[in-house]
Amino acid sequence: MKSVLKSGDGKSPETAFVVISIDEEYSILRAQALLRVKQALVNHGGSAFDRIEAKKRDSDQLVTLYFNVDRPTAQLERMLQNKQ
């Protein structure tokens, strides 16, 4: 978790949190007391990002976080290629 938090601030694709598994995204949300409202896969600058809109547990304030998912996406692609 420390390495994810050191990788960026998640406020934009340029400063996205870099994750090696999707579980890390949910760990960050839990640690920041956020509840996922909406999620989308977006491409920006040749990379893939999960854009997660979440709300703070104690208010209706919405927060948008970006997670670079290039590594988990590449791993999934390798697994699918190996099955062919």
Side-chain angles (χ1 to χ4, degrees):
M1 181 115 121
K2 288 181 184 179
S3 64
V4 174
L5 292 172
K6 285 183 178 181
S7 67
D9 63 13
K11 293 181 180 180
S12 70
E14 292 81 13
T15 62
F17 293 118
V18 177
V19 296
I20 60 171
S21 73
I22 302 306
D23 290 340
E24 290 181 329
E25 295 179 7
Y26 297 106
S27 294
I28 296 296
L29 293 176
R30 280 192 301 274
Q32 295 187 6
L34 296 171
L35 300 170
R36 183 174 53 94
V37 174
K38 192 189 316 187
Q39 183 171 351
L41 181 64
V42 296
N43 290 300
H44 179 80
S47 290
F49 300 89
D50 272 344
R51 181 182 64 216
I52 297 180
E53 292 180 27
K55 74 176 195 90
K56 295 189 177 192
R57 288 189 180 165
D58 58 355
S59 74
D60 288 333
Q61 181 183 355
L62 287 176
V63 175
T64 300
L65 293 176
Y66 291 85
F67 296 87
N68 181 306
V69 293
D70 284 342
R71 290 180 183 173
T73 302
Q75 182 180 7
L76 178 61
E77 287 176 8
R78 282 191 303 274
M79 287 173 42
L80 293 174
Q81 287 177 353
N82 289 338
K83 289 189 177 197
Q84 292 179 350

Coordinates of all heavy atoms in Angstrom, one line a residue:
M1 N 0.8 -1.2 0.0 CA 0.0 0.0 0.0 C 0.9 1.3 0.0 O 0.5 2.2 -0.7 CB -0.9 0.0 1.2 CG -1.8 1.1 1.3 SD -3.5 0.8 1.1 CE -4.1 1.4 2.7
K2 N 2.0 1.2 0.7 CA 2.9 2.4 0.8 C 3.4 2.7 -0.6 O 3.5 3.9 -1.0 CB 4.0 2.2 1.7 CG 3.6 2.2 3.2 CD 4.9 2.0 4.0 CE 4.5 1.9 5.5 NZ 5.6 1.7 6.4
S3 N 3.7 1.7 -1.4 CA 4.3 1.9 -2.7 C 3.2 2.5 -3.7 O 3.5 3.4 -4.5 CB 4.9 0.6 -3.3 OG 3.8 -0.3 -3.5
V4 N 2.0 2.1 -3.5 CA 0.9 2.7 -4.3 C 0.7 4.2 -4.0 O 0.6 5.0 -4.8 CB -0.4 1.9 -4.1 CG1 -1.6 2.6 -4.8 CG2 -0.3 0.5 -4.6
L5 N 0.7 4.5 -2.7 CA 0.5 5.9 -2.2 C 1.7 6.8 -2.7 O 1.5 7.9 -2.9 CB 0.3 5.9 -0.7 CG -1.0 5.4 -0.3 CD1 -1.1 5.3 1.3 CD2 -2.2 6.1 -0.8
K6 N 2.9 6.2 -2.7 CA 4.1 7.0 -3.2 C 4.1 7.2 -4.7 O 4.8 8.1 -5.2 CB 5.3 6.2 -2.8 CG 5.7 6.3 -1.3 CD 7.0 5.6 -1.0 CE 7.4 5.8 0.4 NZ 8.7 5.1 0.7
S7 N 3.3 6.4 -5.4 CA 3.4 6.4 -6.9 C 2.7 7.7 -7.5 O 2.9 8.0 -8.6 CB 2.8 5.2 -7.5 OG 1.4 5.0 -7.2
G8 N 1.8 8.3 -6.7 CA 1.1 9.5 -7.2 C 0.0 9.9 -6.2 O 0.0 9.4 -5.1
D9 N -0.8 10.8 -6.6 CA -1.9 11.3 -5.7 C -3.3 10.9 -6.2 O -4.3 11.1 -5.6 CB -1.9 12.8 -5.5 CG -2.1 13.6 -6.8 OD1 -2.5 13.1 -7.8 OD2 -1.8 14.8 -6.7
G10 N -3.4 10.3 -7.4 CA -4.6 9.8 -8.0 C -5.6 10.8 -8.5 O -6.7 10.5 -8.9
K11 N -5.2 12.1 -8.5 CA -6.1 13.2 -8.9 C -6.2 13.3 -10.4 O -7.2 14.0 -10.9 CB -5.6 14.5 -8.3 CG -5.7 14.5 -6.8 CD -5.3 15.8 -6.2 CE -5.4 15.7 -4.7 NZ -5.0 17.0 -4.1
S12 N -5.4 12.7 -11.2 CA -5.4 12.9 -12.7 C -4.7 11.7 -13.3 O -4.0 10.9 -12.6 CB -4.7 14.2 -13.1 OG -3.3 14.1 -13.0
P13 N -4.9 11.4 -14.6 CA -4.2 10.3 -15.2 C -2.7 10.5 -15.1 O -1.9 9.6 -14.9 CB -4.6 10.4 -16.7 CG -6.0 11.0 -16.6 CD -5.9 12.0 -15.5
E14 N -2.2 11.7 -15.2 CA -0.8 12.0 -15.1 C -0.2 11.7 -13.7 O 1.0 11.4 -13.6 CB -0.5 13.5 -15.4 CG -0.7 13.8 -16.9 CD -2.2 14.1 -17.2 OE1 -3.0 14.3 -16.3 OE2 -2.5 14.1 -18.4
T15 N -1.0 11.8 -12.7 CA -0.5 11.5 -11.3 C -1.3 10.4 -10.7 O -1.4 10.3 -9.4 CB -0.7 12.8 -10.4 OG1 -2.1 13.1 -10.3 CG2 0.1 14.0 -11.0
A16 N -1.7 9.4 -11.5 CA -2.5 8.3 -11.1 C -1.7 7.4 -10.1 O -0.5 7.3 -10.2 CB -2.9 7.5 -12.3
F17 N -2.4 6.7 -9.2 CA -1.8 5.7 -8.4 C -1.5 4.5 -9.4 O -2.3 4.1 -10.2 CB -2.8 5.2 -7.4 CG -3.2 6.2 -6.3 CD1 -4.5 6.6 -6.1 CD2 -2.2 6.7 -5.4 CE1 -4.8 7.5 -5.1 CE2 -2.5 7.6 -4.4 CZ -3.8 8.0 -4.3
V18 N -0.3 4.0 -9.2 CA 0.1 2.8 -10.0 C -0.1 1.6 -9.2 O 0.4 1.4 -8.1 CB 1.6 2.9 -10.5 CG1 2.0 1.7 -11.3 CG2 1.8 4.2 -11.3
V19 N -1.0 0.7 -9.7 CA -1.3 -0.6 -9.0 C -0.8 -1.8 -9.8 O -0.6 -1.7 -11.0 CB -2.8 -0.7 -8.8 CG1 -3.3 0.4 -7.8 CG2 -3.6 -0.7 -10.1
I20 N -0.5 -2.9 -9.1 CA -0.1 -4.1 -9.7 C -1.3 -5.1 -9.7 O -1.2 -6.1 -10.3 CB 1.1 -4.7 -9.1 CG1 1.0 -5.1 -7.7 CG2 2.3 -3.8 -9.4 CD1 2.1 -5.9 -7.1
S21 N -2.3 -4.8 -8.9 CA -3.5 -5.6 -8.9 C -4.7 -4.7 -8.6 O -4.6 -3.7 -8.0 CB -3.4 -6.7 -7.8 OG -3.6 -6.2 -6.5
I22 N -5.9 -5.2 -9.0 CA -7.1 -4.4 -8.8 C -7.4 -4.3 -7.3 O -8.0 -3.3 -6.9 CB -8.3 -5.0 -9.7 CG1 -7.9 -5.0 -11.2 CG2 -9.6 -4.2 -9.4 CD1 -7.4 -3.7 -11.7
D23 N -7.1 -5.3 -6.6 CA -7.3 -5.3 -5.1 C -6.7 -4.1 -4.5 O -7.3 -3.6 -3.5 CB -6.8 -6.6 -4.5 CG -7.6 -7.8 -4.8 OD1 -8.7 -7.7 -5.3 OD2 -7.0 -8.9 -4.7
E24 N -5.6 -3.6 -5.0 CA -5.0 -2.5 -4.4 C -5.8 -1.2 -4.5 O -5.8 -0.4 -3.7 CB -3.6 -2.2 -5.1 CG -2.6 -3.3 -4.7 CD -1.2 -3.0 -5.3 OE1 -1.2 -2.5 -6.4 OE2 -0.2 -3.4 -4.7
E25 N -6.6 -1.1 -5.6 CA -7.5 0.0 -5.7 C -8.5 0.0 -4.6 O -8.7 1.1 -4.0 CB -8.3 -0.1 -7.1 CG -7.5 0.0 -8.3 CD -8.3 -0.1 -9.6 OE1 -9.6 -0.2 -9.5 OE2 -7.7 -0.2 -10.6
Y26 N -9.1 -1.1 -4.3 CA -10.1 -1.2 -3.2 C -9.5 -1.0 -1.8 O -10.1 -0.4 -0.9 CB -10.9 -2.5 -3.3 CG -11.6 -2.5 -4.6 CD1 -11.2 -3.4 -5.6 CD2 -12.7 -1.7 -4.8 CE1 -11.9 -3.4 -6.9 CE2 -13.4 -1.7 -6.1 CZ -13.0 -2.6 -7.1 OH -13.6 -2.6 -8.3
S27 N -8.2 -1.4 -1.7 CA -7.5 -1.1 -0.4 C -7.3 0.4 -0.2 O -7.5 0.9 0.9 CB -6.2 -1.8 -0.4 OG -6.3 -3.2 -0.4
I28 N -7.0 1.1 -1.3 CA -6.8 2.6 -1.2 C -8.2 3.2 -0.8 O -8.2 4.1 0.0 CB -6.3 3.2 -2.5 CG1 -4.9 2.6 -2.8 CG2 -6.3 4.7 -2.5 CD1 -3.8 3.0 -1.8
L29 N -9.2 2.8 -1.5 CA -10.6 3.3 -1.2 C -10.9 3.1 0.3 O -11.4 4.0 1.0 CB -11.6 2.7 -2.1 CG -11.5 3.1 -3.6 CD1 -12.6 2.3 -4.4 CD2 -11.7 4.6 -3.8
R30 N -10.7 1.9 0.8 CA -11.0 1.6 2.2 C -10.2 2.5 3.1 O -10.7 3.0 4.1 CB -10.8 0.1 2.5 CG -11.9 -0.8 2.1 CD -11.8 -2.2 2.6 NE -10.5 -2.8 2.3 CZ -10.3 -3.5 1.1 NH1 -11.3 -3.6 0.3 NH2 -9.2 -4.1 0.9
A31 N -8.9 2.6 2.8 CA -8.0 3.4 3.7 C -8.4 4.8 3.8 O -8.2 5.5 4.8 CB -6.6 3.2 3.2
Q32 N -9.0 5.3 2.7 CA -9.4 6.7 2.6 C -10.9 6.9 3.0 O -11.5 8.0 2.8 CB -9.1 7.3 1.3 CG -7.6 7.4 1.0 CD -7.3 8.1 -0.3 OE1 -8.1 8.7 -0.9 NE2 -6.0 8.1 -0.6
A33 N -11.5 5.8 3.5 CA -13.0 5.9 3.9 C -13.8 6.3 2.7 O -14.7 7.2 2.9 CB -13.1 6.7 5.1
L34 N -13.6 5.8 1.5 CA -14.4 6.1 0.4 C -15.2 4.9 -0.1 O -14.8 3.8 0.0 CB -13.5 6.5 -0.8 CG -12.6 7.8 -0.6 CD1 -11.6 8.0 -1.7 CD2 -13.6 9.0 -0.5
L35 N -16.4 5.2 -0.6 CA -17.3 4.2 -1.1 C -17.4 4.4 -2.6 O -17.8 5.5 -3.1 CB -18.7 4.3 -0.5 CG -18.8 4.1 1.0 CD1 -20.1 4.5 1.5 CD2 -18.4 2.7 1.3
R36 N -17.1 3.4 -3.4 CA -17.2 3.5 -4.9 C -18.6 3.7 -5.3 O -19.6 3.1 -4.9 CB -16.7 2.2 -5.5 CG -16.6 2.3 -7.0 CD -15.9 1.0 -7.6 NE -16.5 -0.2 -7.1 CZ -17.5 -0.9 -7.7 NH1 -17.9 -0.5 -8.9 NH2 -17.9 -2.0 -7.2
V37 N -18.8 4.7 -6.2 CA -20.1 5.1 -6.8 C -20.1 4.6 -8.3 O -21.1 4.0 -8.7 CB -20.4 6.6 -6.7 CG1 -21.6 7.0 -7.4 CG2 -20.4 7.0 -5.2
K38 N -19.1 4.9 -9.0 CA -19.0 4.7 -10.4 C -17.6 4.4 -10.8 O -16.6 4.9 -10.2 CB -19.5 5.9 -11.2 CG -19.8 5.6 -12.7 CD -20.1 6.8 -13.5 CE -21.0 7.8 -13.1 NZ -21.3 8.8 -14.1
Q39 N -17.4 3.5 -11.8 CA -16.1 3.1 -12.2 C -16.1 3.0 -13.8 O -17.0 2.5 -14.3 CB -15.6 1.8 -11.6 CG -14.2 1.4 -11.9 CD -13.8 0.2 -11.1 OE1 -14.5 -0.2 -10.2 NE2 -12.7 -0.4 -11.4
A40 N -15.0 3.5 -14.4 CA -14.9 3.4 -15.8 C -13.4 3.1 -16.2 O -12.5 3.6 -15.5 CB -15.4 4.6 -16.5
L41 N -13.2 2.4 -17.3 CA -11.9 2.2 -17.8 C -11.7 3.2 -18.9 O -12.5 3.4 -19.8 CB -11.7 0.8 -18.4 CG -10.4 0.4 -19.0 CD1 -9.3 0.4 -17.9 CD2 -10.4 -0.9 -19.7
V42 N -10.6 4.0 -18.7 CA -10.3 5.1 -19.7 C -8.9 5.0 -20.2 O -8.0 4.4 -19.5 CB -10.5 6.5 -19.1 CG1 -12.0 6.7 -18.7 CG2 -9.6 6.7 -17.9
N43 N -8.7 5.4 -21.4 CA -7.3 5.4 -22.0 C -6.8 6.9 -22.1 O -7.6 7.8 -22.4 CB -7.3 4.8 -23.4 CG -7.6 3.3 -23.3 OD1 -6.8 2.6 -22.7 ND2 -8.6 2.8 -23.9
H44 N -5.6 7.1 -21.8 CA -5.0 8.4 -21.8 C -3.5 8.2 -22.0 O -2.8 7.5 -21.3 CB -5.3 9.1 -20.5 CG -4.7 10.5 -20.4 ND1 -5.3 11.6 -21.0 CD2 -3.6 11.0 -19.9 CE1 -4.6 12.7 -20.8 NE2 -3.5 12.3 -20.1
G45 N -3.0 8.9 -23.1 CA -1.6 8.9 -23.4 C -1.0 7.5 -23.6 O 0.2 7.2 -23.2
G46 N -1.8 6.6 -24.1 CA -1.3 5.2 -24.3 C -1.4 4.3 -23.1 O -0.9 3.1 -23.2
S47 N -1.9 4.7 -22.0 CA -2.1 3.9 -20.9 C -3.5 3.7 -20.5 O -4.4 4.5 -20.9 CB -1.3 4.5 -19.7 OG 0.1 4.5 -19.9
A48 N -3.8 2.7 -19.7 CA -5.2 2.4 -19.3 C -5.3 2.8 -17.8 O -4.4 2.6 -17.0 CB -5.4 0.9 -19.4
F49 N -6.4 3.4 -17.5 CA -6.7 3.8 -16.1 C -8.1 3.4 -15.7 O -9.1 3.5 -16.5 CB -6.6 5.4 -16.1 CG -5.3 5.9 -16.4 CD1 -5.0 6.2 -17.8 CD2 -4.3 6.1 -15.5 CE1 -3.8 6.7 -18.1 CE2 -3.1 6.6 -15.8 CZ -2.8 6.9 -17.2
D50 N -8.2 3.1 -14.4 CA -9.6 3.0 -13.8 C -9.8 4.3 -13.2 O -9.0 4.8 -12.4 CB -9.6 1.9 -12.7 CG -9.9 0.5 -13.2 OD1 -10.4 0.4 -14.4 OD2 -9.7 -0.4 -12.5
R51 N -10.9 4.9 -13.7 CA -11.4 6.2 -13.1 C -12.5 5.8 -12.1 O -13.6 5.3 -12.6 CB -11.9 7.2 -14.1 CG -12.3 8.5 -13.6 CD -12.8 9.5 -14.6 NE -14.1 8.9 -15.2 CZ -14.4 9.0 -16.5 NH1 -13.6 9.6 -17.3 NH2 -15.5 8.5 -16.9
I52 N -12.3 6.1 -10.9 CA -13.3 5.7 -9.9 C -13.8 7.0 -9.2 O -13.1 7.8 -8.7 CB -12.7 4.8 -8.8 CG1 -12.2 3.5 -9.5 CG2 -13.7 4.5 -7.7 CD1 -11.6 2.5 -8.5
E53 N -15.2 7.1 -9.3 CA -15.8 8.1 -8.6 C -16.3 7.5 -7.3 O -17.0 6.5 -7.3 CB -17.0 8.7 -9.4 CG -16.5 9.4 -10.6 CD -17.7 10.0 -11.4 OE1 -18.8 10.3 -10.8 OE2 -17.5 10.1 -12.6
A54 N -16.0 8.2 -6.2 CA -16.4 7.7 -4.9 C -16.9 8.8 -4.0 O -16.6 10.0 -4.3 CB -15.1 7.0 -4.2
K55 N -17.6 8.4 -2.9 CA -18.0 9.4 -2.0 C -17.5 9.1 -0.6 O -17.2 7.9 -0.3 CB -19.5 9.6 -2.0 CG -20.3 8.5 -1.3 CD -21.8 8.8 -1.3 CE -22.5 8.0 -0.3 NZ -22.6 8.5 1.0
K56 N -17.2 10.1 0.1 CA -16.7 10.0 1.5 C -17.8 9.4 2.3 O -19.0 9.7 2.2 CB -16.3 11.3 2.1 CG -15.1 11.9 1.3 CD -14.5 13.1 2.0 CE -13.2 13.5 1.2 NZ -12.5 14.5 2.0
R57 N -17.5 8.5 3.2 CA -18.5 7.8 4.0 C -19.3 8.7 4.9 O -20.4 8.5 5.2 CB -17.8 6.7 4.9 CG -17.3 5.6 4.1 CD -16.9 4.5 4.9 NE -16.4 3.4 4.0 CZ -15.7 2.4 4.4 NH1 -15.4 2.2 5.6 NH2 -15.4 1.4 3.5
D58 N -18.7 9.8 5.4 CA -19.4 10.7 6.3 C -20.0 11.9 5.6 O -20.5 12.8 6.3 CB -18.4 11.1 7.4 CG -17.1 11.8 6.9 OD1 -17.0 11.9 5.6 OD2 -16.3 12.3 7.7
S59 N -20.0 11.9 4.3 CA -20.6 13.1 3.6 C -21.0 12.6 2.2 O -20.7 11.5 1.8 CB -19.7 14.3 3.5 OG -18.6 14.0 2.6
D60 N -21.6 13.5 1.5 CA -22.0 13.3 0.1 C -20.9 13.8 -0.9 O -21.2 13.8 -2.1 CB -23.3 13.9 -0.3 CG -24.5 13.1 0.4 OD1 -24.3 11.9 0.7 OD2 -25.5 13.7 0.7
Q61 N -19.8 14.2 -0.4 CA -18.7 14.8 -1.2 C -18.2 13.7 -2.2 O -17.8 12.7 -1.7 CB -17.6 15.4 -0.4 CG -16.5 16.0 -1.2 CD -15.4 16.5 -0.3 OE1 -15.5 16.5 0.9 NE2 -14.3 17.0 -1.0
L62 N -18.2 14.0 -3.5 CA -17.6 13.1 -4.4 C -16.2 13.3 -4.7 O -15.7 14.5 -4.7 CB -18.4 13.1 -5.8 CG -19.8 12.6 -5.8 CD1 -20.5 12.8 -7.1 CD2 -19.8 11.1 -5.4
V63 N -15.4 12.3 -4.9 CA -14.0 12.3 -5.2 C -13.7 11.4 -6.4 O -14.3 10.4 -6.5 CB -13.2 11.8 -4.0 CG1 -11.7 11.7 -4.3 CG2 -13.4 12.6 -2.8
T64 N -12.9 11.9 -7.3 CA -12.5 11.1 -8.5 C -11.1 10.7 -8.3 O -10.2 11.6 -8.1 CB -12.7 11.8 -9.8 OG1 -14.1 12.2 -9.9 CG2 -12.3 11.0 -11.0
L65 N -10.8 9.4 -8.4 CA -9.4 8.9 -8.3 C -9.1 8.1 -9.6 O -9.9 7.4 -10.2 CB -9.2 8.0 -7.1 CG -9.4 8.7 -5.8 CD1 -9.3 7.6 -4.7 CD2 -8.3 9.7 -5.6
Y66 N -7.8 8.2 -10.0 CA -7.3 7.5 -11.2 C -6.3 6.5 -10.8 O -5.4 6.8 -9.9 CB -6.7 8.5 -12.2 CG -7.7 9.4 -12.9 CD1 -8.1 10.6 -12.3 CD2 -8.2 9.0 -14.1 CE1 -9.0 11.4 -12.9 CE2 -9.2 9.9 -14.7 CZ -9.5 11.0 -14.1 OH -10.5 11.8 -14.7
F67 N -6.4 5.3 -11.3 CA -5.4 4.2 -11.0 C -4.9 3.7 -12.4 O -5.7 3.3 -13.3 CB -6.1 3.1 -10.3 CG -6.7 3.4 -9.0 CD1 -7.9 4.0 -8.8 CD2 -5.9 3.2 -7.8 CE1 -8.4 4.3 -7.6 CE2 -6.4 3.6 -6.6 CZ -7.6 4.1 -6.4
N68 N -3.6 3.7 -12.5 CA -2.9 3.2 -13.7 C -3.0 1.7 -13.6 O -2.4 1.1 -12.7 CB -1.5 3.7 -13.8 CG -0.8 3.2 -15.1 OD1 -0.8 2.0 -15.3 ND2 -0.2 4.1 -15.8
V69 N -3.7 1.1 -14.6 CA -3.9 -0.4 -14.6 C -3.1 -1.1 -15.7 O -3.5 -2.2 -16.1 CB -5.4 -0.8 -14.6 CG1 -6.1 -0.3 -13.3 CG2 -6.1 -0.2 -15.8
D70 N -2.1 -0.5 -16.2 CA -1.3 -1.1 -17.3 C -0.7 -2.5 -16.8 O -0.8 -3.4 -17.6 CB -0.1 -0.2 -17.7 CG -0.5 1.0 -18.5 OD1 -1.7 0.9 -19.1 OD2 0.2 1.9 -18.6
R71 N -0.2 -2.6 -15.6 CA 0.3 -3.9 -15.2 C -0.7 -5.0 -15.1 O -0.5 -6.1 -15.6 CB 1.1 -3.7 -13.9 CG 2.4 -2.9 -14.1 CD 3.1 -2.7 -12.8 NE 4.3 -1.9 -13.0 CZ 5.1 -1.5 -12.0 NH1 4.8 -1.8 -10.8 NH2 6.2 -0.8 -12.3
P72 N -1.8 -4.8 -14.4 CA -2.8 -5.8 -14.3 C -3.4 -6.2 -15.7 O -3.7 -7.3 -16.0 CB -3.9 -5.3 -13.4 CG -3.3 -4.1 -12.7 CD -2.2 -3.6 -13.5
T73 N -3.5 -5.1 -16.6 CA -4.1 -5.4 -17.9 C -3.1 -6.2 -18.7 O -3.5 -7.2 -19.4 CB -4.3 -4.0 -18.6 OG1 -5.3 -3.3 -17.8 CG2 -4.9 -4.2 -20.0
A74 N -1.8 -5.9 -18.6 CA -0.8 -6.7 -19.3 C -0.8 -8.2 -18.8 O -0.6 -9.1 -19.6 CB 0.6 -6.1 -19.2
Q75 N -0.9 -8.3 -17.5 CA -0.9 -9.7 -17.0 C -2.1 -10.5 -17.5 O -2.0 -11.6 -17.8 CB -0.9 -9.6 -15.4 CG -0.9 -10.9 -14.7 CD -0.9 -10.8 -13.2 OE1 -1.1 -9.7 -12.7 NE2 -0.8 -11.9 -12.6
L76 N -3.3 -9.8 -17.5 CA -4.5 -10.5 -18.0 C -4.3 -10.9 -19.5 O -4.7 -12.0 -19.9 CB -5.7 -9.6 -17.8 CG -7.0 -10.1 -18.4 CD1 -7.4 -11.4 -17.7 CD2 -8.1 -9.1 -18.2
E77 N -3.7 -10.0 -20.3 CA -3.5 -10.3 -21.7 C -2.6 -11.5 -21.9 O -2.8 -12.3 -22.7 CB -2.9 -9.0 -22.4 CG -4.0 -8.0 -22.6 CD -3.4 -6.7 -23.2 OE1 -2.2 -6.7 -23.7 OE2 -4.1 -5.7 -23.3
R78 N -1.5 -11.5 -21.1 CA -0.6 -12.7 -21.1 C -1.3 -14.0 -20.8 O -1.1 -15.0 -21.4 CB 0.6 -12.5 -20.2 CG 1.7 -11.5 -20.7 CD 3.0 -11.5 -19.9 NE 2.8 -11.2 -18.5 CZ 2.7 -10.0 -18.0 NH1 2.9 -8.9 -18.8 NH2 2.6 -9.8 -16.7
M79 N -2.1 -14.0 -19.8 CA -2.8 -15.2 -19.4 C -3.8 -15.6 -20.5 O -3.8 -16.8 -20.8 CB -3.6 -14.9 -18.1 CG -2.8 -14.8 -16.8 SD -3.7 -14.3 -15.3 CE -5.2 -15.2 -15.4
L80 N -4.4 -14.7 -21.1 CA -5.4 -15.1 -22.2 C -4.6 -15.6 -23.4 O -5.1 -16.5 -24.0 CB -6.2 -13.8 -22.6 CG -7.2 -13.4 -21.5 CD1 -7.9 -12.1 -21.9 CD2 -8.3 -14.5 -21.2
Q81 N -3.5 -15.0 -23.7 CA -2.7 -15.5 -24.8 C -2.1 -16.9 -24.6 O -2.1 -17.8 -25.5 CB -1.5 -14.6 -25.1 CG -1.9 -13.3 -25.8 CD -0.8 -12.3 -26.0 OE1 0.4 -12.6 -25.5 NE2 -1.0 -11.2 -26.7
N82 N -1.8 -17.2 -23.3 CA -1.3 -18.5 -23.0 C -2.3 -19.6 -23.1 O -2.0 -20.8 -23.3 CB -0.6 -18.5 -21.6 CG 0.7 -17.8 -21.5 OD1 1.3 -17.6 -22.5 ND2 1.0 -17.3 -20.3
K83 N -3.6 -19.2 -23.0 CA -4.7 -20.2 -23.0 C -5.1 -20.5 -24.5 O -5.8 -21.5 -24.7 CB -5.9 -19.7 -22.3 CG -5.7 -19.7 -20.8 CD -7.0 -19.4 -20.0 CE -6.7 -19.5 -18.6 NZ -7.9 -19.6 -17.8
Q84 N -4.6 -19.7 -25.4 CA -4.9 -20.0 -26.8 C -4.1 -21.0 -27.4 O -3.1 -21.4 -27.2 CB -4.8 -18.7 -27.6 CG -5.9 -17.7 -27.2 CD -5.7 -16.4 -28.0 OE1 -4.8 -16.1 -28.7 NE2 -6.7 -15.5 -27.9

